[in-house]
Amino acid sequence: MSVNGVFTSESVTEGHPDKICDQISDAVLDSILVEDKYARVACETLVTTGLVLLAGEITTKGYVDMTRVVRSTIEEIGYNDPAISFDAHSCAVMVMIEEQSPDIAIAVDRKGAGDQGMMIGYATDESCSIDYNAEYMPVTIFLANKLTRKLGQVRKDGSLPYLYPDGKAQITIEYREGKPTLASHVVLSAHHMENTPQSKIRDDLIDAVVKPVLEPTGLLDKKKTTIHINPAGAFTRGGPLVDVGVTGKKIVADTYGTFSRHGGAAFSGKDPTKTDRSANYAARWVAKNIVAAGLAHRCEIQLAYIIGRPEPVSIFIDSFGTGEIPDNELIDVVNENFDLTPPGIIDALDLRRPIYRKTSVYGHFGRTEPEFTWERLDRVDDLERGK
């Protein structure tokens, strides 16, 4: 099956209210894992004007000053100036954390899943046609994340000193016979200081963000690409001042930009015994290795778990008609080459480490940093032998 027509994905910067929450939740998780790698953590965050609220369930033998973690995370994001109306040093921090339910703890202690649920992994080789490495990701979400990452970079390095932390990107790609051919629309919304001319912001963001990201792809066309910069006009009020943020509200931007289905689970703030996180990472690992091995051009895999049971209750693969072998045979190959129990996933991907703050912004997938072990192509040779 080929993708034709136009498709759009969005990403948000680290200063977006929901992403502030994801980063705080994962910063708390990382701090706890430094002290106790076997801790059980489910940390949720809410931010609004002048307030950060932590809630959830944490069981650990270590100690972490959570208020300090919250404030340092907010400061690193860039909310360190009262003029932005949300400040790491003056906001109130409330911590309402309980221990994990003993009923759930028993299920995990028995090496089973801590809850029921469906987890989705996806990979595609669509970017191969444009000679641009998108790490087996849909080009739309891959480029949307690159745009927001670049927007954050030019703010933090001082290139565009009038920028504030909040922001969004959206990109629309035209596809022909399953291949990306043109970036038809690009949208950047950037939080900025008052009295900054919109004409300057537009010129600066096109030169410093849009062109460096998109020109290497060959998808940017001076005549055919429409670029919108702050399409609503001035964006001087942003962040938690104007929008409540909550952990786990950007799950589509975290994953595949709606190019794939989604099981509904959020990742941030959860330790790797939660299949919400670890099994979604494993599903991506499997799908990426399948596509890299040439077993399919596109691959989506669903893993389903039930509480207290280690093995997936079901594995479903859809190669969208691009598979070299039937999908039911692909499942057999996966079962032969991957241990998809929670302990097997944790061991194979080395997940009991403080690696999660990095995942909480600019996407959990399609990343090349060493912490992202689920992006490794370490089973390709084994899968090729299963053709």
Side-chain angles (χ1 to χ4, degrees):
M1 182 179 74
S2 293
V3 181
N4 289 290
V6 295
F7 197 87
T8 302
S9 293
E10 74 152 359
S11 176
V12 299
T13 65
E14 59 202 273
H16 185 280
D18 295 327
K19 275 295 149 199
I20 297 172
C21 295
D22 288 344
Q23 289 168 93
I24 290 172
S25 293
D26 274 338
V28 170
L29 171 61
D30 280 353
S31 298
I32 291 171
L33 289 176
V34 169
E35 302 294 324
D36 177 8
K37 68 179 183 178
Y38 295 102
R40 307 281 171 78
V41 180
C43 180
E44 308 284 348
T45 306
L46 179 146
V47 299
T48 187
T49 306
L51 174 66
V52 179
L53 173 64
L54 288 188
E57 301 80 41
I58 297 176
T59 301
T60 179
K61 297 177 181 178
Y63 170 77
V64 169
D65 184 342
M66 296 187 192
T67 299
R68 182 191 60 78
V69 173
V70 169
R71 294 193 188 281
S72 63
T73 303
I74 295 170
E75 184 171 22
E76 288 170 15
I77 291 169
Y79 286 103
N80 50 19
D81 182 351
I84 314 177
S85 300
F86 187 73
D87 176 42
H89 306 290
S90 61
C91 66
V93 179
M94 296 179 62
V95 179
M96 303 179 69
I97 300 290
E98 304 289 342
E99 286 192 341
Q100 184 185 61
S101 162
D103 297 332
I104 296 175
I106 289 173
V108 177
D109 289 341
R110 293 172 177 168
K111 303 188 184 303
D115 201 355
Q116 67 183 42
M118 296 78 64
M119 292 73 195
I120 304 292
Y122 182 79
T124 174
D125 64 3
E126 66 183 47
S127 70
C128 296
S129 65
I130 56 174
D131 193 27
Y132 185 76
N133 179 18
E135 294 296 329
Y136 296 96
M137 287 288 285
V139 167
T140 50
I141 187 62
F142 185 79
L143 292 179
N145 281 327
K146 283 184 73 74
L147 287 167
T148 50
R149 182 189 283 267
K150 188 67 173 178
L151 185 59
Q153 177 187 325
V154 298
R155 171 179 64 88
K156 288 188 167 184
D157 67 16
S159 300
L160 303 181
Y162 54 79
L163 291 179
Y164 285 150
D166 200 356
K168 291 184 176 183
Q170 182 173 290
I171 186 166
T172 301
I173 299 291
E174 289 186 5
Y175 285 80
R176 294 179 185 174
E177 297 182 354
K179 306 302 181 183
T181 59
L182 173 71
S184 64
H185 291 80
V186 180
V187 184
L188 281 182
S189 295
H191 187 197
H192 61 86
M193 293 179 181
E194 292 185 4
N195 302 318
T196 309
Q198 291 301 307
S199 58
K200 175 176 176 55
I201 295 173
R202 176 179 174 82
D203 291 345
D204 285 351
L205 292 186
I206 289 174
D207 288 340
V209 178
V210 176
K211 288 182 178 179
V213 170
L214 295 184
E215 282 184 340
T217 71
L219 297 173
L220 187 65
D221 187 291
K222 292 181 179 179
K223 295 181 179 180
K224 296 180 180 179
T225 301
T226 301
I227 300 174
H228 300 275
I229 305 295
N230 285 357
F235 186 1
T236 58
R237 292 165 60 86
L241 174 65
V242 298
D243 192 10
V244 172
V246 181
T247 300
K249 284 180 65 180
K250 285 291 177 280
I251 57 176
V252 170
D254 284 341
T255 53
Y256 308 103
T258 72
F259 219 102
S260 170
R261 285 164 278 201
H262 198 294
F267 305 161
S268 290
K270 299 176 182 177
D271 75 82
T273 67
K274 277 75 173 172
T275 49
D276 282 356
R277 183 163 221 156
S278 55
N280 271 294
Y281 290 173
R284 162 64 178 172
W285 178 43
V286 173
K288 185 176 181 179
N289 275 268
I290 285 174
V291 173
L295 291 173
H297 295 289
R298 297 171 61 202
C299 179
E300 182 182 84
I301 178 169
Q302 182 204 70
L303 306 176
Y305 294 83
I306 56 178
I307 190 167
R309 298 281 297 275
E311 294 81 12
V313 68
S314 69
I315 300 175
F316 174 80
I317 290 179
D318 189 350
S319 65
F320 307 94
T322 71
E324 291 295 313
I325 60 176
D327 291 343
N328 62 323
E329 293 183 21
L330 272 177
I331 295 173
D332 293 337
V333 173
V334 168
N335 279 322
E336 291 170 5
N337 290 281
F338 294 90
D339 179 353
L340 296 174
T341 64
I345 294 168
I346 290 170
D347 289 346
L349 301 181
D350 195 13
L351 297 180
R352 292 192 188 275
R353 297 177 295 142
I355 59 174
Y356 298 104
R357 168 74 189 278
K358 278 190 176 181
T359 71
S360 59
V361 67
Y362 307 126
H364 291 249
F365 306 124
R367 304 280 290 272
T368 58
E369 298 96 314
E371 293 87 351
F372 292 71
T373 53
W374 47 95
E375 294 294 317
R376 295 185 308 207
L377 298 176
D378 55 352
R379 301 297 170 91
V380 169
D381 291 343
D382 295 333
L383 292 173
E384 287 178 338
R385 287 193 287 270
K387 287 183 180 180

